[in-house]
Structure formats: structure tokens, C-alpha cells
Amino acid sequence: MSPSQTCQILQTTTSSNFYLTYIKLRFFAKVRRFLQLKAKSKDQFKSSDQPGINSEILIVIEEGEKGIMGKEVDNDSGWMALQKSVKKLHFGSSDEKEVAAEEIKKLAKEDLKRRKLMAELGVIPPLVAMVGGSEAVLHRQRLAVQALTELANGSFTNKALMVEAGILSKLPQKTDNLDGNTRQEFAELILSISSLANTQYNMDSSRIIPFAVSILDSSNSSVETKCTCLGTLYNISSVLENSASLATNGTVTTLLRLSSLKEVSEKALATLGNLVVTLMGKKAMEENPMVPQSLIEIMTWEEKPKCQELSVYILMILAHQSSVQREKMAKAGIVPVLLEVALLGSSLAQKRALKLLQWFKDERQSKMGPHSGPQVGRVPIDSSPMSPRAVDESKKLMKKIVKQSLYKNMETITSRANGGGDSSRLKALVVSSSSKSLPY
């Protein structure tokens, strides 16, 4: 080949795509030679120290253009930074791995294709290994968690690779030793991974639950961190098979306690709503001393309509076909609160409250059978019959007591409604109505 022909070939092959492919081929060729040299000396490199790295990189190299070379990289500097970070993360010192984790975190923010490319280059296992560090390398641990969170964003495959690399076993057992920022970063990572529960991927959620509950029970956790962990438990509770793990380790008590905090109540109630439809979840709530009083209190939150709807829903499930639970609710004073929600709550809350009121009405009527009212068949010998006048006076007195009780309840309700016109209308409704016309 003449020199002129060589120049023409070089000129036609100076496009950016060919140059990037050339750089990639050189990089992977160097990586392959490096691994082959390392494999010859077991003392210098042990596969047990970094499980899966050799095989993953070799798979990527053998795929060639089919696996990686077809990926487009935004610019030369980005690709160069990526290849340097990958090399440092796999084969560098501790300090070099820390720098590599920082760079990978920045590069992973850019786009989903790059995050998938990084996973194919095998960056997830070494990052997971860095998460399990001691307090002496806390900064390195935080960088690894941040990088993994970015890599998990929008990628089911990356999340699954993290679980397979053992990220759940790397979660700290004691969260009180973590500062607020680190606790929040871990919470964001497990929230992202917990979305796998809604897929066909078989994930052991029992390792995530204790970690999330420990953060929720900690007084040092911020409201933002608690909301993040509640989102994790909600994802896990959406799968019926996880109800046993959630119902047997004190999670229900934690959720009920947090449901009384208005800042995080809605997410806690949503998780309880998923649990109450399961056998073990319902049983755990029925046996909890906070039920039903805490849920009845939430029903009075006029400024939180969604919380009202969720609390009435949970109480409906508990009261359904359970006279014991309905009796507990009646003793706790649920009927006046239900009447208030039925009149002033949202459309959905009103429907649920009216349904519950109907159950209490039916149960009261069933108790007032032939043996629960006055006995007319037999009159005791030592008793004297009441005169018609005394009977009429007793009926009038009973009606007066009922009206006074209803009027007092309506005054409480209308005062909370803050509406003068509606107040007078509702008062007139009570005065002109009998107890039989009410929905309970």
C-alpha cells in the first residue's frame, strides 16, 4: 500500500464514532491482557476478594461490539473518565476506589444508557463491597451508597444486580450510630431497591424491614427520612406474601404510632391499609391496644381528608363481621365521630362512614329483640303495672334526652365546620328529626 493510499484511509476514518470504537477496543484489550497476567499469580490477585469481577468483565469483553461497542458515548472526555474510574474501582487502592466511586456517582447522573453501561462493566459488586466498610471508612461507604443510588435510578437490572451482589446483607445493623445524612442516603437506596417487590423478581424483604423499622423508631431520624422509609414499607406491603414479616416484628405498632403524626400519617395509614386485608395483618391490628382509639382520633382531622378516608377504611375492615371489634369501637365513641365524618367529610369518607353507621344501626336493632325489651307475656307478682300517664311521661322524657344528646353532638360538629348558614340548617334538621330518621 502506497503512502498516499494510507493517508486517504486515515482521513476517512477520523470520524468520532470510529475513534470511540478504536479507544474502546484498545481499553478492553488492555483489560484482557491485565486479567490474564493477574490470573497467573494467585498471590497477587485472588478471586475471592472481589467475587464476580473477572467473569463479568470478561463477558463484556467477549461480547465486543454486540454488547458494548454499540453503545454511544456523549463525548471523548466522558468515556475516558469512565474507563479510568472502572479500572480504579476494580484494581486500584482504597483511596483510588474512593475517587472512582465519586466519579461514577457523577457520571451515573447523566443518563440511563450510561448507568446500564457501567453495570455491564461490573462496577456494582465492588461498590457493594465498599458499603460494608467500618466506621473508619465511613466517607467511602457514603460515596458507595450514593453511587449505587444513582445507578439504581430507573434500571430494574441494576437493582437486581445489587441484590445479587449482597447489598441487603451490607445494611448496618445499628442505625443510631449513623448521622442524619448517612441515614437518609441509606433510606433512599433501600426505597429504590424495594420497588423490586412489585415485580416478579424474588427478593428477600425480611432483611429490609428491620432496617427500615429501626430508622423509623429512632428519635434522631428526620421527617424526610421517615417518609422515605415508610415508602419502602409501603412497597413491601403491596405484596401479600410479605404480610407475615411485617406483622410479626413490631412493624404494626410502629406504623400505628407514626399514623398519629400528621407529617407522616398518610403513608403510615396507606401501609396499614395494605396489611389489614391480610389475615395476619388484621389479627395484629385487632390485638394492638392502640386500636381503635388512635384511628378514631385520626377521623377528626378535618384538614387531612386523605387520612380520614384511610382511617375509616381500616376501621371498616376491622369491623366487618366482627361484633367484638364493633363493640370496642362503640365504647371508644366512634358513632358521634362517624356522624361528623358522614356530614362534613370528603365524598369517599362520607360513603365509608355511612356504611359503618349502618352496621352499628343494624346491630343495635338486632339486640332489641323480643327478649331485650319490656316483657309483656309475664308480669312479676311483686310488680305493679304503670299507669298510661306514667308511660307517656317516660316516653316524652326519653325523646327529650335523645334530642338533647343529638343537639349537643350537632353543635360540636357545626362549630368545627365554621359555617353560619350551614350551622342553622343542621340545628333545624336535628330539632325537627326523630332518632329513627338518623343513619345509625
Side-chain angles (χ1 to χ4, degrees):
M1 184 179 295
S2 64
S4 60
Q5 291 176 337
T6 304
C7 292
Q8 290 178 357
I9 294 174
L10 291 175
Q11 288 175 358
T12 57
T13 57
T14 55
S15 62
S16 58
N17 291 336
F18 180 84
Y19 179 75
L20 291 176
T21 303
Y22 175 72
I23 293 295
K24 293 174 187 177
L25 289 172
R26 288 191 59 189
F27 169 67
F28 288 121
K30 290 181 179 180
V31 171
R32 174 180 288 182
R33 287 196 298 270
F34 184 86
L35 291 175
Q36 289 174 350
L37 292 174
K38 288 290 184 180
K40 294 179 181 179
S41 178
K42 294 183 180 181
D43 296 335
Q44 295 179 2
F45 187 86
K46 294 182 180 180
S47 59
S48 60
D49 295 336
Q50 294 175 316
I53 290 178
N54 288 3
S55 59
E56 290 186 17
I57 295 179
L58 286 174
I59 290 173
V60 172
I61 294 173
E62 290 170 359
E63 286 181 353
E65 291 190 4
K66 181 180 179 181
I68 295 298
M69 297 311 164
K71 306 283 184 179
E72 294 184 0
V73 183
D74 296 336
N75 50 62
D76 298 349
S77 60
W79 170 251
M80 295 298 293
L82 176 58
Q83 71 172 17
K84 289 180 180 178
S85 299
V86 172
K87 288 177 63 177
K88 290 179 181 178
L89 192 63
H90 284 302
F91 314 115
S93 62
S94 298
D95 294 337
E96 289 176 334
K97 289 182 178 181
E98 185 174 330
V99 175
E102 178 71 30
E103 187 64 28
I104 287 174
K105 181 185 72 172
K106 294 179 181 179
L107 295 172
K109 291 182 179 180
E110 297 182 4
D111 56 63
L112 181 60
K113 289 184 178 180
R114 180 159 290 180
R115 290 193 287 273
K116 292 181 177 179
L117 172 61
M118 291 179 181
E120 292 177 356
L121 292 174
V123 301
I124 289 179
L127 287 173
V128 170
M130 290 171 63
V131 174
S134 61
E135 293 185 2
V137 289
L138 182 59
H139 180 64
R140 192 179 308 149
Q141 181 187 58
R142 287 188 59 187
L143 286 175
V145 171
Q146 294 168 7
L148 288 171
T149 303
E150 295 295 340
L151 289 169
N153 184 19
S155 175
F156 166 85
T157 302
N158 288 5
K159 296 172 187 178
L161 288 174
M162 292 175 194
V163 175
E164 292 175 2
I167 184 61
L168 300 183
S169 63
K170 303 292 184 179
L171 298 176
Q173 296 182 352
K174 296 181 180 180
T175 60
D176 291 335
N177 299 331
L178 303 176
D179 60 86
N181 293 332
T182 305
R183 195 180 290 115
Q184 173 63 21
E185 289 162 0
F186 268 106
E188 291 176 355
L189 178 59
I190 64 171
L191 173 61
S192 182
I193 294 175
S194 67
S195 63
L196 291 174
N198 298 316
T199 66
Q200 296 181 351
Y201 184 80
N202 187 16
M203 182 183 64
D204 184 12
S205 301
S206 61
R207 294 188 176 185
I208 298 180
I209 296 173
F211 180 76
V213 172
S214 65
I215 293 180
L216 292 172
D217 289 336
S218 176
S219 58
N220 299 326
S221 299
S222 64
V223 174
E224 181 183 4
T225 303
K226 289 182 178 180
C227 285
T228 305
C229 287
L230 287 172
T232 299
L233 294 182
Y234 177 79
N235 288 340
I236 295 174
S237 67
S238 61
V239 180
L240 297 179
E241 289 76 6
N242 295 327
S243 60
S245 301
L246 290 167
T248 56
N249 60 359
T251 308
V252 171
T253 301
T254 300
L255 292 172
L256 286 170
R257 178 177 54 81
L258 291 174
S259 66
S260 298
L261 302 177
K262 293 185 178 181
E263 297 85 355
V264 298
S265 177
E266 185 174 328
K267 290 190 176 182
L269 288 170
T271 306
L272 289 171
N274 286 340
L275 286 177
V276 75
V277 298
T278 66
L279 182 61
M280 297 191 68
K282 183 179 180 181
K283 182 179 179 181
M285 282 185 233
E286 289 175 344
E287 297 174 351
N288 196 288
M290 299 176 66
V291 177
Q293 189 61 50
S294 61
L295 297 172
I296 295 175
E297 178 64 26
I298 294 171
M299 289 169 56
T300 64
W301 294 356
E302 299 171 7
E303 71 280 10
K304 293 283 187 178
K306 188 65 176 180
C307 294
Q308 282 185 323
E309 295 169 2
L310 290 169
S311 60
V312 178
Y313 170 76
I314 295 171
L315 289 169
M316 280 183 61
I317 302 298
L318 294 175
H320 182 60
Q321 296 182 347
S322 176
S323 58
V324 176
Q325 293 301 313
R326 289 196 293 270
E327 184 177 357
K328 288 173 62 177
M329 295 176 191
K331 290 180 179 179
I334 192 176
V335 173
V337 180
L338 284 174
L339 178 60
E340 178 181 349
V341 175
L343 291 172
L344 304 174
S346 65
S347 177
L348 181 57
Q350 286 179 352
K351 292 179 181 179
R352 291 172 175 174
L354 287 173
K355 186 66 176 179
L356 259 176
L357 284 169
Q358 184 63 40
W359 291 349
F360 283 103
K361 175 185 175 181
D362 295 342
E363 189 165 63
R364 185 186 67 174
Q365 289 178 348
S366 65
K367 288 181 179 179
M368 295 176 63
H371 300 289
S372 60
Q375 300 296 316
V376 295
R378 297 178 58 185
V379 179
I381 298 177
D382 56 348
S383 65
S384 57
M386 295 180 65
S387 63
R389 183 178 179 182
V391 172
D392 291 339
E393 289 180 353
S394 298
K395 289 182 179 179
K396 290 180 181 179
L397 179 61
M398 182 61 65
K399 289 182 179 180
K400 184 178 180 181
I401 293 173
V402 170
K403 286 186 176 182
Q404 287 177 347
S405 176
L406 292 173
Y407 185 78
K408 185 176 180 181
N409 289 335
M410 293 305 298
E411 275 188 334
T412 303
I413 296 170
T414 53
S415 64
R416 293 181 178 178
N418 294 325
D422 294 340
S423 175
S424 60
R425 183 174 64 83
L426 291 173
K427 289 180 181 179
L429 175 64
V430 174
V431 172
S432 61
S433 302
S434 65
S435 61
K436 293 182 180 180
S437 64
L438 293 173
Y440 63 92

